[in-house]
Amino acid sequence: METFAQPKSQQRPPPNQRIIEFDALRGVAVIGVVWMSVYAFALPAQGYHNPSVWGPGLGEASRLDRIIWAVNFVFIEDKFRTLFAMLFGAGCLILLERDGERKKGHPVRAHYARMAVLFAIGAVHSILFASNDVLRVFALAGCALPLLTVLSARSLFAICVGFIAVHVGGGVVALGASVLDYYQGRPGSDASLLAERLFGSNPASVQYMLDQGREGWEERIARSLTGLRSQLSVIGSAIPINLAAMALGMGLWKSELLQGKWRLFLLQRCAAICALAAVPALLGLAWWVSDNGFPASIAGMVGLVLSAPFDTALGLAYAALAMAFFRKEGALRERLAAVGRLSLTNYLLTSVILAAIFASWGMGLFGEVSRAQGFAISFVPIAAMLIWSTLWARFAGQGPFERLWRSMTKLLS
């Protein structure tokens, strides 16, 4: 990839040194995830993809709520989860390559130990705080990554496209019937009723999720433990799209974009092309949902399935743009890099803070805020990350959960 690289005089020193742009990009990903995670903590589940389900009064969404939904849908939702998964894939590739070079133990065995520990951390996290935990999906999808390490960047990009196709195809099979029933005027069909329960304003379903969100600590733990089997299907359905992002991240590392070696104009061109491919399509999908009055069948199909290719493209645009922007030294880059170095700890800390705000054992604001208010509250954990990460990284280095992850991995491998 010499045509993509910077002049030799500007290239980085040895690969065993940290790349600050990579750390800062990971920090951006962790912060971006908060902007959508807040709705999983603040609103009934049906309101996550459908702004008409919940709002400031009797479930009615305000115009501001709908605008914020549109901005989130086009620019935030799943873009930063994609970015987070991309960097996870690249990080796994880096560790597999380094373990192989050091020839200490078996690199694949160490990798699977990392995934086992990460799954355990994610399981505890989901039981105590966050039903929308992504660590378990990352851990399971990560088990396939050693098989991809021998592939070229071009092959990894092809794998990414293939997994996106699997995700979209599976989603169309699962949810397509409800869209057809909507246009054929069959609101009472099984598919339509299921979509209404999952993504619509069905009173009984919304009330069930409100009761669940307001449950006490002991009730939550008991429900989470008894529902582990049902959660596996949800986790399994998320593996293809996350594997797509991880393969993309591995390809971007091998092509040296994430190593900070691409020339500035190539980064800008990549960001522009991806954004031009993604943003108009996402705006069109947002208009389709809104123009039809936010029907449950279309909201679910658009939010979970049809937006996926464009979410990935815009996530790539963000990665290229950030790698260009973070070349310049500055306080913002340093703070974001500190957030990125503590990404696991910050991800978990966000759930603790949001649970303390919305859970019944905390301030109990679940179901009491609008989408706009939830978005404003999301800046509380973001501010906490930006403040504490720099101090912790400066005086203690590795984050507490990063240290735990590393220590437990050593024990297992």
Side-chain angles (χ1 to χ4, degrees), residues 77-412:
E77 182 186 330
D78 259 356
K79 287 72 179 173
F80 292 97
R81 190 271 314 156
T82 296
L83 193 55
F84 203 16
M86 284 167 48
L87 298 172
F88 180 84
C92 288
L93 176 60
I94 293 168
L95 291 174
L96 282 164
E97 289 179 342
R98 289 182 182 175
D99 288 345
E101 290 173 359
R102 292 169 181 169
K103 297 181 180 179
K104 293 182 178 180
H106 198 291
V108 175
R109 180 178 177 181
H111 173 79
Y112 286 124
R114 289 188 199 100
M115 297 305 100
V117 175
L118 186 65
F119 187 89
I121 293 173
V124 174
H125 174 234
S126 67
I127 291 169
L128 297 180
F129 300 109
S131 301
N132 64 324
D133 168 76
V134 300
L135 300 181
R136 295 167 299 170
V137 181
F138 280 18
L140 291 178
C143 291
L145 298 186
L147 301 176
L148 306 181
T149 57
V150 297
L151 299 178
S152 66
R154 183 174 296 182
S155 297
L156 288 165
F157 297 150
I159 292 288
C160 169
V161 173
F163 277 119
I164 291 174
V166 169
H167 173 82
V168 173
V172 169
V173 170
L175 301 176
S178 65
V179 179
L180 290 176
D181 289 343
Y182 169 77
Y183 280 107
Q184 292 174 1
R186 295 186 295 189
S189 68
D190 291 342
S192 296
L193 292 175
L194 177 60
E196 190 65 29
R197 287 196 296 271
L198 295 176
F199 311 111
S201 53
N202 178 275
S205 299
V206 172
Q207 187 59 52
Y208 175 79
M209 297 311 300
L210 285 171
D211 293 340
Q212 182 174 296
R214 291 164 178 163
E215 63 194 358
W217 186 274
E218 293 182 358
E219 293 173 300
R220 174 181 174 79
I221 293 175
R223 177 182 57 79
S224 298
L225 289 173
T226 56
L228 288 177
R229 181 177 296 179
S230 63
Q231 293 177 34
L232 289 178
S233 62
V234 177
I235 294 172
S237 66
I239 287 177
I241 193 62
N242 282 284
L243 260 177
M246 292 174 191
L248 177 58
M250 295 171 73
L252 293 175
W253 179 261
K254 288 197 171 190
S255 69
E256 300 186 335
L257 184 151
L258 291 179
Q259 297 184 44
K261 293 182 179 180
W262 276 31
R263 295 174 184 270
L264 182 61
F265 82 93
L266 284 170
L267 291 170
Q268 294 170 335
R269 181 187 297 178
C270 177
I273 292 172
C274 290
L276 287 173
V279 173
L282 290 166
L283 286 170
L285 290 172
W287 174 85
W288 182 33
V289 178
S290 178
D291 187 61
N292 282 277
F294 296 96
S297 56
I298 298 179
M301 175 66 80
V302 166
L304 289 176
V305 181
L306 299 184
S307 62
F310 310 108
D311 294 336
T312 305
L314 197 52
L316 174 53
Y318 290 167
L321 196 61
M323 293 302 288
F325 179 80
F326 291 135
R327 283 186 176 180
K328 295 182 179 180
E329 296 182 6
L332 177 61
R333 187 181 76 161
E334 297 297 329
R335 284 189 176 274
L336 289 172
V339 172
R341 292 186 193 110
L342 277 63
S343 57
L344 176 60
T345 297
N346 281 322
Y347 174 76
L348 299 172
L349 177 66
T350 293
S351 293
V352 174
I353 294 174
L354 292 177
I357 294 172
F358 294 107
S360 62
W361 50 264
M363 296 173 63
L365 294 183
F366 176 81
E368 302 293 333
V369 300
S370 67
R371 185 174 290 266
Q373 291 167 333
F375 183 73
I377 290 171
S378 70
F379 287 90
V380 174
I382 290 173
M385 281 192 275
L386 289 170
I387 293 170
W388 96 280
S389 296
T390 301
L391 297 174
W392 185 278
R394 183 179 302 164
F395 296 107
Q398 201 172 35
F401 281 96
E402 284 78 8
R403 195 179 301 277
L404 173 65
W405 190 12
R406 185 176 182 179
S407 299
M408 294 302 295
T409 296
K410 286 184 177 179
L411 288 176
L412 291 178

